[in-house]
Amino acid sequence: MWDDAKVNEKEAASSPTNPISQPSTTSTVGDPSWRARQLSRRRRTEPSSGITVTRRARAVNRLLSVPLNYLSATTVILLAAGMTALYLSTQIRDVVTVTVIIAIIVLANGWSGLVHSPTRYAPALTILVVGIGSTIAVRATGDLAWATVAVGVAVVVAALAEMARPLPREDLVRSISASVTGALVAILGSAWVGLSSSPVWSIVMVGTALIVICAVVGNQFGTRVRARAVGAVLGGVVGSGLVAGLAMVLKPHASLINLLTPFNDPASPLLSLTIASLAMGFAIGGVIAFVDIIFGERIRRCTEAGAFARGAMKFLLVVMPIYILVRLGAF
């Protein structure tokens, strides 16, 4: 009888329905999986702010997942539209100067990531010193001739920046080339300030900014480099048509035609205005397409700062052919 009781007790203890005999499914404090879950919860939530780190990471990843060409296009549009709106509302030349300096800073910050320079600080220093110095000189004198002086200074500054690098100075030629090229882009951007030096030239500056916006928008259509290049040129042509229409409505077309002497035909001012506007559209669209082909992410991958720098580069370069057309007419 006693033996039967012991047998029944053992059977009850080993019975699958007995909760005592079941292995515990609840993780204990010493269980590694329990510790991992607690650590994950602790990382996921910040009690002080109530904002989860996961949400922040998703927001950052969502920003960084934006195609780099959109970041570049946004940079150009913000610079051109902001400069145009502020200048038209205030009529202050320094608005253009500040906008160009902002573009130079953006270019310097991401230039090494755009061109894959072996060093970051030497090109950035060269671009900042030479670009901002050239912009201030053109603003003070109203003469773009100081840009030629800045080109020579760029070589000296680039060499000095390389001398400051610690030994061993690897890829010296690549680094100096990147510094001088970036400085040259910044110097050419000072032509915006040159156009703002004259009330008559400022009309062309505003029209150039509007065409740039249209060309950049057209550059976003298509998946291949050739299609995007064609879109940039067509966008520039459409923008030139809009500028010509605004010129006819607002009556500054006489000044525009006089500025662009090679297209001036007194017998047909409308035709002259159309040809001049188309020349501006093709020139701006061609520059946008050229930068996108040479420095686009389909050729080489770049960082987000490099994408912003490519946008600043487009803004700084598009003005040069327009300035040449203006100088031909004002010679």
Side-chain angles (χ1 to χ4, degrees):
M1 183 104 180
W2 180 259
D3 295 337
D4 293 341
K6 286 185 176 181
V7 171
N8 293 335
E9 184 179 351
K10 291 180 179 180
E11 292 179 352
S14 62
S15 175
T17 59
N18 188 0
I20 300 177
S21 63
Q22 293 293 326
S24 175
T25 58
T26 304
S27 300
T28 61
V29 176
D31 188 2
S33 62
W34 181 87
R35 290 182 178 178
R37 286 197 298 270
Q38 292 298 322
L39 183 60
S40 177
R41 292 174 183 173
R42 189 177 303 172
R43 289 178 177 176
R44 194 179 300 122
T45 307
E46 294 180 355
S48 59
S49 60
I51 302 176
T52 62
V53 178
T54 304
R55 291 179 181 175
R56 289 180 177 177
R58 288 176 179 174
V60 174
N61 291 334
R62 191 179 300 113
L63 173 62
L64 298 183
S65 63
V66 175
L68 298 182
N69 59 299
Y70 291 164
L71 298 180
S72 173
T74 303
T75 304
V76 185
I77 293 175
L78 288 178
L79 289 172
M83 181 188 69
T84 303
L86 291 176
Y87 180 78
L88 291 178
S89 60
T90 61
Q91 296 295 319
I92 298 177
R93 288 180 55 194
D94 291 333
V95 169
V96 182
T97 305
V98 172
T99 304
V100 173
I101 291 177
I102 292 175
I104 292 174
I105 294 174
V106 174
L107 177 71
N109 181 59
W111 181 251
S112 61
L114 178 62
V115 300
H116 298 280
S117 172
T119 179
R120 175 182 179 184
Y121 297 106
L125 178 64
T126 305
I127 292 172
L128 288 175
V129 172
V130 178
I132 295 178
S134 174
T135 302
I136 295 176
V138 175
R139 171 63 181 86
T141 62
D143 191 357
L144 197 64
W146 284 96
T148 58
V149 179
V151 174
V153 175
V155 178
V156 177
V157 174
L160 294 176
E162 292 299 326
M163 293 174 60
R165 288 177 56 189
L167 295 175
R169 302 183 183 96
E170 299 179 354
D171 297 325
L172 189 60
V173 176
R174 284 182 55 198
S175 182
I176 293 181
S177 300
S179 300
V180 175
T181 303
L184 182 61
V185 173
I187 292 170
L188 294 178
S190 59
W192 285 108
V193 182
L195 285 180
S196 66
S197 62
S198 171
V200 180
W201 291 5
S202 62
I203 300 175
V204 180
M205 181 194 69
V206 173
T208 301
L210 296 177
I211 298 175
V212 168
I213 295 174
C214 295
V216 171
V217 172
N219 190 37
Q220 304 311 304
F221 294 98
T223 57
R224 297 184 177 182
V225 177
R226 184 178 301 177
R228 295 167 64 89
V230 173
V233 175
L234 292 179
V237 172
V238 172
S240 65
L242 294 176
V243 170
L246 290 175
M248 293 301 298
V249 172
L250 301 177
K251 303 300 181 182
H253 59 278
S255 299
L256 290 177
I257 296 175
N258 291 332
L259 286 175
L260 306 176
T261 301
F263 310 102
N264 189 6
D265 185 6
S268 181
L270 180 59
L271 179 61
S272 300
L273 177 62
T274 302
I275 297 176
S277 300
L278 288 176
M280 294 173 62
F282 275 108
I284 293 174
V287 172
I288 297 293
F290 173 79
V291 175
D292 195 51
I293 291 173
I294 302 300
F295 297 95
E297 63 270 10
R298 288 173 178 81
I299 304 299
R300 62 174 68 89
R301 297 297 298 174
C302 66
T303 61
E304 286 76 19
F308 288 119
R310 186 169 69 249
M313 182 182 185
K314 293 177 182 179
F315 174 79
L316 294 171
L317 288 181
V318 291
V319 68
M320 198 59 205
I322 308 304
Y323 185 84
I324 292 174
L325 292 175
V326 170
R327 292 299 298 182
L328 287 175
F331 183 74

